Amino acid sequence: MRSLGVVFEPAFPPERLREVAQSVEDAGVPELWLWEDCFRESGIASAAVALAATTELAVGIGVLPMPLRNVALTAMELATLSRLFPGRIVGGVGHGVQSWMAQVGARHASPLTLMAEYLPTLRALLAGERVTIDGRYVHLDDAALDWPPTVAVPVFAAAEGPKTLDSSGALADGTIIPSGWSPTRLREAAIRARAAADVRAGDHCVAVYLLTRFTEDSAASGEPTGRERVFGDVSVVAETVEAFFAAGATTVVLQPSADDDDLIGFSQRSGEVARMLGIARSATGFGSP
């Protein structure tokens, strides 16, 4: 299965989120993605607004910084969103920007150890399990959600380096790759994550951000060799998205430039890309991975 998304990044004013989410849904794009940066916008609050402003749009949080958020709180918030909007939410977590984590007093000496403790605990809580763990960073004593999700909430993890890709593959339902990657580099990462995912049953999703600027040119303009980003008309963008699907992506998330003021137009052209590639919104949102 393959899908297309649009990013509302925290560089954009939060008061624009509602109209952008509605424009993404109206354009027929299946997914809206957002993330949480320190001192900008809350990932959970933003997801709630986007979900409430739409009726079918799936919303991916890619990602919340693990060091900043107690795992029980993350589970509670994702479960609440899932109960209110079943099948329409994906929870993503990551190491966080280490300088920001230090700035707020949340930096950990071993991000990989935190991930190894955090991901299984989060997934267990969302599955309705009762959890006790006394790890290096994660500590729960006989904890369980009173209101676990009624529909499975996929948990993705951001990954770039080899060790984090291994952890994401083995411990998460999907891997999130940041913008700036070529299809060739993505192929290697997808193979590595899925090899690690073989230790457990189920498919492993790969979502990749693609920095995109729509132009009227039928030839890519300013596009670096390797397709780390794409500048061009709808057909050029669709061709590049297809290359990422061929490299192993299950979701390609189009990311407007931070200085792009025409976010509504960006949504509309993204919808044209979705139609060109035959990508339709699932009746059940993300559903189970």
Side-chain angles (χ1 to χ4, degrees):
M1 181 179 177
R2 58 190 203 167
S3 188
L4 190 75
V6 168
V7 173
F8 184 89
E9 63 171 280
F12 300 130
E15 55 268 24
R16 296 206 62 187
L17 174 57
R18 184 186 300 272
E19 64 168 346
V20 171
Q22 291 169 342
S23 73
V24 171
E25 180 169 65
D26 291 344
V29 179
E31 301 174 9
L32 176 74
W33 283 75
L34 46 87
W35 67 77
E36 183 169 86
D37 275 348
C38 276
F39 317 116
R40 285 184 171 173
E41 293 162 21
S42 158
I44 295 294
S46 297
V49 169
L51 289 163
T54 55
T55 58
E56 296 181 334
L57 189 68
V59 175
I61 305 176
V63 294
L64 303 167
M66 290 180 289
L68 192 63
R69 291 180 162 274
N70 183 284
V71 67
L73 178 62
T74 302
M76 289 163 55
E77 292 184 317
L78 290 175
T80 300
L81 290 177
S82 178
R83 299 279 297 216
L84 290 168
F85 308 99
R88 294 177 57 198
I89 186 73
V90 160
V93 296
H95 295 316
V97 177
Q98 295 305 293
S99 60
W100 286 342
M101 297 302 99
Q103 192 175 0
V104 298
R107 183 169 181 169
H108 296 321
S110 176
L112 283 171
T113 299
L114 174 62
M115 178 175 278
E117 297 173 357
Y118 199 104
L119 280 171
T121 303
L122 177 59
R123 295 180 73 226
L125 289 170
L126 290 172
E129 299 177 16
R130 186 167 295 278
V131 181
T132 295
I133 176 174
D134 187 20
R136 181 175 177 183
Y137 300 120
V138 177
H139 306 275
L140 292 178
D141 182 10
D142 195 32
L145 298 177
D146 283 356
W147 298 103
T150 56
V151 175
V153 178
V155 174
F156 287 21
E160 293 188 68
K163 292 181 179 179
T164 309
L165 285 165
D166 289 343
S167 294
S168 177
L171 302 174
D173 296 304
T175 295
I176 299 171
I177 302 294
S179 61
W181 287 46
S182 67
T184 299
R185 188 181 177 195
L186 175 71
R187 181 178 291 106
E188 296 169 354
I191 290 172
R192 183 163 193 135
R194 288 182 174 128
D198 284 345
V199 301
R200 61 180 177 80
D203 297 330
H204 189 81
C205 302
V206 176
V208 59
Y209 291 117
L210 175 61
L211 187 61
T212 303
R213 186 182 292 275
F214 287 101
T215 71
E216 299 305 316
D217 296 331
S218 59
S221 171
E223 178 191 345
T225 301
R227 295 181 173 176
E228 290 87 355
R229 55 181 175 169
V230 57
F231 295 173
D233 68 6
V234 168
S235 64
V236 169
V237 174
E239 178 185 355
T240 304
V241 169
E242 192 68 67
F244 278 92
F245 285 141
T250 53
T251 295
V252 178
V253 188
L254 304 182
Q255 179 179 340
S257 302
D259 61 353
D260 191 338
D261 291 329
D262 187 13
L263 298 180
I264 306 303
F266 189 94
S267 298
Q268 293 169 344
R269 287 185 283 275
S270 297
E272 293 177 35
V273 172
R275 288 188 290 277
M276 188 171 290
L277 295 175
I279 296 171
R281 182 178 297 119
S282 168
T284 56
F286 288 103
S288 298

